[in-house]
Each structure stands twice: as C-alpha cells, then as structure tokens.
Amino acid sequence: MAHTFEELVEKQRAADEAHARVEALRDTYGAPTATPWPEIQTDTYETAWRAWRDLARDVQAAVTEHAKDENRPRNDVEAEVKRAAKTPSPGGSEPPEGPAEGK
C-alpha cells in the first residue's frame, strides 16, 4: 500500500507519542531492577513498549516502501519525515523543498 508523505508523518508522530509514553512510565516506575514492579506495572509497561515497537516497525516499513516508490534514498525520506513530525504545522505536513533534480 502506497503511503503519502502526510501519512508517514502521522505514523511517525504516533510512534513518537508511544515512545514518550514508554519513557514516562519508566520515569514514573523507576528501574525494575532497583525495585521490582508489581504485576500491573509490568503489564502496563510491556503493553506500552509493544505498542511503541509495533508503531515504529510500521513507520519504518512505510518509509522504506515510500522511498522505493519515489525512487529516493530511504535515509533522506526518513529524515524528512522525522523533521516534519517534530514540527507540527497548522496547514498540514508537506515534504521539504529539496534541490530541483533533473530540471
């Protein structure tokens, strides 16, 4: 399935939010090796971690597919998506203007 740049940015934002949730839980609960977590904390953390892992995997696969479809270097597409995901714009997400190729 082809993904638009805007869809990639939304997927990256979702993965970033899930990662922030994992970090917040880790900060709240502390290190499990310092003080063992109760089962409910362990389950909550593991669920959040799996959600983050799955979202990150999905965005990586979508970026790879988009880069192939656009015949562009994957790392360039990934950098553009991450940059756009970090800076929300009220008018939507547009790929940054790059040098005009072949014109």
Side-chain angles (χ1 to χ4, degrees):
M1 174 179 171
H3 297 281
T4 65
F5 184 80
E6 292 79 16
E7 290 171 332
L8 296 177
V9 171
E10 289 306 312
K11 284 178 177 286
Q12 183 63 53
R13 285 183 180 143
D16 290 346
E17 288 173 14
H19 184 228
R21 172 80 172 137
V22 168
E23 289 180 334
L25 288 171
R26 192 178 307 140
D27 291 344
T28 300
Y29 296 163
T33 56
T35 305
W37 292 345
E39 186 176 344
I40 188 78
Q41 286 180 334
T42 300
D43 291 347
T44 301
Y45 180 83
E46 288 179 355
T47 299
W49 187 86
R50 281 191 300 273
W52 169 42
R53 178 198 60 201
D54 293 347
L55 288 166
R57 179 196 59 221
D58 293 348
V59 74
Q60 291 296 310
V63 164
T64 299
E65 181 182 346
H66 183 79
K68 283 182 184 178
D69 291 347
E70 297 292 317
N71 196 28
R72 297 191 50 219
R74 188 201 175 289
N75 60 324
D76 290 353
V77 173
E78 181 179 21
E80 291 171 7
V81 167
K82 286 185 176 188
R83 190 169 32 252
K86 298 283 185 221
T87 56
S89 62
S93 303
E94 293 294 323
E97 292 293 323
E101 295 181 22
K103 293 185 178 184

mmCIF file of all heavy atoms in Angstrom, residues 57-79:
data_model
loop_
_atom_site.group_PDB
_atom_site.id
_atom_site.type_symbol
_atom_site.label_atom_id
_atom_site.label_comp_id
_atom_site.label_asym_id
_atom_site.label_seq_id
_atom_site.Cartn_x
_atom_site.Cartn_y
_atom_site.Cartn_z
ATOM 1 N N ARG A 57 7.948 -0.123 13.941
ATOM 2 C CA ARG A 57 8.152 -1.075 12.843
ATOM 3 C C ARG A 57 7.305 -0.679 11.633
ATOM 4 O O ARG A 57 7.782 -0.685 10.500
ATOM 5 C CB ARG A 57 7.784 -2.482 13.306
ATOM 6 C CG ARG A 57 7.933 -3.544 12.220
ATOM 7 C CD ARG A 57 7.215 -4.832 12.570
ATOM 8 N NE ARG A 57 5.791 -4.550 12.762
ATOM 9 C CZ ARG A 57 5.045 -5.076 13.727
ATOM 10 N NH1 ARG A 57 5.577 -5.908 14.602
ATOM 11 N NH2 ARG A 57 3.779 -4.774 13.818
ATOM 12 N N ASP A 58 6.052 -0.306 11.878
ATOM 13 C CA ASP A 58 5.160 0.065 10.780
ATOM 14 C C ASP A 58 5.637 1.313 10.052
ATOM 15 O O ASP A 58 5.588 1.370 8.818
ATOM 16 C CB ASP A 58 3.737 0.286 11.306
ATOM 17 C CG ASP A 58 3.090 -0.996 11.808
ATOM 18 O OD1 ASP A 58 3.637 -2.102 11.555
ATOM 19 O OD2 ASP A 58 2.041 -0.888 12.474
ATOM 20 N N VAL A 59 6.101 2.308 10.798
ATOM 21 C CA VAL A 59 6.563 3.526 10.129
ATOM 22 C C VAL A 59 7.836 3.245 9.340
ATOM 23 O O VAL A 59 8.014 3.764 8.240
ATOM 24 C CB VAL A 59 6.730 4.711 11.111
ATOM 25 C CG1 VAL A 59 7.947 4.589 11.985
ATOM 26 C CG2 VAL A 59 6.781 6.025 10.347
ATOM 27 N N GLN A 60 8.708 2.402 9.861
ATOM 28 C CA GLN A 60 9.935 2.067 9.126
ATOM 29 C C GLN A 60 9.616 1.362 7.808
ATOM 30 O O GLN A 60 10.198 1.670 6.771
ATOM 31 C CB GLN A 60 10.851 1.201 10.000
ATOM 32 C CG GLN A 60 11.452 1.938 11.168
ATOM 33 C CD GLN A 60 12.375 3.051 10.733
ATOM 34 O OE1 GLN A 60 13.262 2.850 9.914
ATOM 35 N NE2 GLN A 60 12.169 4.224 11.280
ATOM 36 N N ALA A 61 8.681 0.434 7.858
ATOM 37 C CA ALA A 61 8.294 -0.279 6.636
ATOM 38 C C ALA A 61 7.640 0.675 5.640
ATOM 39 O O ALA A 61 7.911 0.607 4.429
ATOM 40 C CB ALA A 61 7.338 -1.420 6.980
ATOM 41 N N ALA A 62 6.804 1.580 6.129
ATOM 42 C CA ALA A 62 6.132 2.530 5.242
ATOM 43 C C ALA A 62 7.130 3.500 4.609
ATOM 44 O O ALA A 62 7.011 3.840 3.430
ATOM 45 C CB ALA A 62 5.055 3.292 6.010
ATOM 46 N N VAL A 63 8.117 3.936 5.381
ATOM 47 C CA VAL A 63 9.153 4.827 4.839
ATOM 48 C C VAL A 63 9.946 4.107 3.755
ATOM 49 O O VAL A 63 10.230 4.678 2.700
ATOM 50 C CB VAL A 63 10.077 5.341 5.972
ATOM 51 C CG1 VAL A 63 11.356 5.939 5.416
ATOM 52 C CG2 VAL A 63 9.345 6.359 6.825
ATOM 53 N N THR A 64 10.290 2.862 4.002
ATOM 54 C CA THR A 64 11.033 2.088 3.005
ATOM 55 C C THR A 64 10.235 1.957 1.716
ATOM 56 O O THR A 64 10.761 2.183 0.620
ATOM 57 C CB THR A 64 11.379 0.698 3.564
ATOM 58 O OG1 THR A 64 12.204 0.861 4.716
ATOM 59 C CG2 THR A 64 12.092 -0.161 2.531
ATOM 60 N N GLU A 65 8.961 1.630 1.839
ATOM 61 C CA GLU A 65 8.093 1.486 0.665
ATOM 62 C C GLU A 65 7.954 2.815 -0.078
ATOM 63 O O GLU A 65 8.047 2.858 -1.307
ATOM 64 C CB GLU A 65 6.723 0.983 1.109
ATOM 65 C CG GLU A 65 5.754 0.771 -0.044
ATOM 66 C CD GLU A 65 4.391 0.321 0.442
ATOM 67 O OE1 GLU A 65 4.253 -0.077 1.612
ATOM 68 O OE2 GLU A 65 3.455 0.381 -0.369
ATOM 69 N N HIS A 66 7.754 3.888 0.658
ATOM 70 C CA HIS A 66 7.596 5.212 0.041
ATOM 71 C C HIS A 66 8.874 5.610 -0.703
ATOM 72 O O HIS A 66 8.804 6.124 -1.817
ATOM 73 C CB HIS A 66 7.261 6.247 1.117
ATOM 74 C CG HIS A 66 7.014 7.617 0.592
ATOM 75 N ND1 HIS A 66 5.828 7.982 0.007
ATOM 76 C CD2 HIS A 66 7.806 8.713 0.546
ATOM 77 C CE1 HIS A 66 5.888 9.247 -0.362
ATOM 78 N NE2 HIS A 66 7.083 9.713 -0.040
ATOM 79 N N ALA A 67 10.017 5.373 -0.089
ATOM 80 C CA ALA A 67 11.296 5.714 -0.724
ATOM 81 C C ALA A 67 11.479 4.933 -2.022
ATOM 82 O O ALA A 67 11.909 5.494 -3.037
ATOM 83 C CB ALA A 67 12.452 5.445 0.230
ATOM 84 N N LYS A 68 11.133 3.660 -2.015
ATOM 85 C CA LYS A 68 11.233 2.852 -3.237
ATOM 86 C C LYS A 68 10.292 3.376 -4.307
ATOM 87 O O LYS A 68 10.672 3.506 -5.471
ATOM 88 C CB LYS A 68 10.910 1.386 -2.942
ATOM 89 C CG LYS A 68 12.015 0.642 -2.264
ATOM 90 C CD LYS A 68 11.624 -0.815 -2.044
ATOM 91 C CE LYS A 68 12.696 -1.553 -1.284
ATOM 92 N NZ LYS A 68 12.328 -2.947 -1.017
ATOM 93 N N ASP A 69 9.036 3.673 -3.904
ATOM 94 C CA ASP A 69 8.050 4.171 -4.857
ATOM 95 C C ASP A 69 8.470 5.504 -5.479
ATOM 96 O O ASP A 69 8.191 5.768 -6.644
ATOM 97 C CB ASP A 69 6.674 4.344 -4.197
ATOM 98 C CG ASP A 69 6.028 3.019 -3.823
ATOM 99 O OD1 ASP A 69 6.512 1.961 -4.295
ATOM 100 O OD2 ASP A 69 5.049 3.044 -3.056
ATOM 101 N N GLU A 70 9.133 6.342 -4.678
ATOM 102 C CA GLU A 70 9.556 7.670 -5.143
ATOM 103 C C GLU A 70 10.970 7.650 -5.731
ATOM 104 O O GLU A 70 11.458 8.698 -6.160
ATOM 105 C CB GLU A 70 9.500 8.663 -3.984
ATOM 106 C CG GLU A 70 8.106 8.883 -3.427
ATOM 107 C CD GLU A 70 7.194 9.586 -4.405
ATOM 108 O OE1 GLU A 70 7.643 10.547 -5.058
ATOM 109 O OE2 GLU A 70 6.026 9.158 -4.525
ATOM 110 N N ASN A 71 11.605 6.481 -5.710
ATOM 111 C CA ASN A 71 12.976 6.329 -6.214
ATOM 112 C C ASN A 71 13.921 7.333 -5.541
ATOM 113 O O ASN A 71 14.659 8.055 -6.198
ATOM 114 C CB ASN A 71 13.022 6.473 -7.734
ATOM 115 C CG ASN A 71 14.313 5.936 -8.301
ATOM 116 O OD1 ASN A 71 14.922 5.041 -7.734
ATOM 117 N ND2 ASN A 71 14.735 6.488 -9.426
ATOM 118 N N ARG A 72 13.840 7.357 -4.201
ATOM 119 C CA ARG A 72 14.653 8.278 -3.407
ATOM 120 C C ARG A 72 15.406 7.495 -2.352
ATOM 121 O O ARG A 72 14.972 6.423 -1.946
ATOM 122 C CB ARG A 72 13.751 9.309 -2.719
ATOM 123 C CG ARG A 72 13.006 10.169 -3.726
ATOM 124 C CD ARG A 72 12.327 11.359 -3.104
ATOM 125 N NE ARG A 72 13.238 12.103 -2.260
ATOM 126 C CZ ARG A 72 12.876 12.639 -1.102
ATOM 127 N NH1 ARG A 72 11.644 12.496 -0.651
ATOM 128 N NH2 ARG A 72 13.733 13.317 -0.373
ATOM 129 N N PRO A 73 16.513 8.038 -1.864
ATOM 130 C CA PRO A 73 17.231 7.361 -0.781
ATOM 131 C C PRO A 73 16.358 7.276 0.475
ATOM 132 O O PRO A 73 15.748 8.266 0.892
ATOM 133 C CB PRO A 73 18.447 8.255 -0.526
ATOM 134 C CG PRO A 73 18.604 9.062 -1.778
ATOM 135 C CD PRO A 73 17.217 9.228 -2.333
ATOM 136 N N ARG A 74 16.307 6.100 1.049
ATOM 137 C CA ARG A 74 15.472 5.865 2.220
ATOM 138 C C ARG A 74 15.839 6.790 3.376
ATOM 139 O O ARG A 74 14.964 7.321 4.052
ATOM 140 C CB ARG A 74 15.611 4.407 2.651
ATOM 141 C CG ARG A 74 14.631 4.041 3.729
ATOM 142 C CD ARG A 74 15.091 2.803 4.491
ATOM 143 N NE ARG A 74 14.191 2.551 5.580
ATOM 144 C CZ ARG A 74 14.119 3.305 6.677
ATOM 145 N NH1 ARG A 74 14.910 4.345 6.827
ATOM 146 N NH2 ARG A 74 13.257 3.038 7.629
ATOM 147 N N ASN A 75 17.136 6.965 3.611
ATOM 148 C CA ASN A 75 17.553 7.802 4.741
ATOM 149 C C ASN A 75 17.122 9.257 4.563
ATOM 150 O O ASN A 75 16.830 9.944 5.539
ATOM 151 C CB ASN A 75 19.054 7.690 5.010
ATOM 152 C CG ASN A 75 19.887 8.107 3.827
ATOM 153 O OD1 ASN A 75 19.529 7.878 2.686
ATOM 154 N ND2 ASN A 75 21.041 8.689 4.101
ATOM 155 N N ASP A 76 17.050 9.742 3.326
ATOM 156 C CA ASP A 76 16.566 11.107 3.080
ATOM 157 C C ASP A 76 15.083 11.219 3.425
ATOM 158 O O ASP A 76 14.654 12.186 4.063
ATOM 159 C CB ASP A 76 16.770 11.511 1.617
ATOM 160 C CG ASP A 76 18.229 11.721 1.259
ATOM 161 O OD1 ASP A 76 19.093 11.692 2.170
ATOM 162 O OD2 ASP A 76 18.517 11.895 0.057
ATOM 163 N N VAL A 77 14.302 10.235 2.987
ATOM 164 C CA VAL A 77 12.862 10.242 3.275
ATOM 165 C C VAL A 77 12.647 10.156 4.780
ATOM 166 O O VAL A 77 11.840 10.917 5.348
ATOM 167 C CB VAL A 77 12.145 9.083 2.545
ATOM 168 C CG1 VAL A 77 10.687 8.995 2.980
ATOM 169 C CG2 VAL A 77 12.246 9.251 1.029
ATOM 170 N N GLU A 78 13.370 9.274 5.448
ATOM 171 C CA GLU A 78 13.212 9.126 6.893
ATOM 172 C C GLU A 78 13.537 10.431 7.618
ATOM 173 O O GLU A 78 12.814 10.850 8.528
ATOM 174 C CB GLU A 78 14.105 8.000 7.414
ATOM 175 C CG GLU A 78 13.963 7.788 8.906
ATOM 176 C CD GLU A 78 14.829 6.655 9.426
ATOM 177 O OE1 GLU A 78 15.805 6.278 8.764
ATOM 178 O OE2 GLU A 78 14.516 6.163 10.518
ATOM 179 N N ALA A 79 14.610 11.090 7.220
ATOM 180 C CA ALA A 79 14.997 12.352 7.865
ATOM 181 C C ALA A 79 13.921 13.418 7.664
ATOM 182 O O ALA A 79 13.592 14.161 8.591
ATOM 183 C CB ALA A 79 16.336 12.828 7.313
#
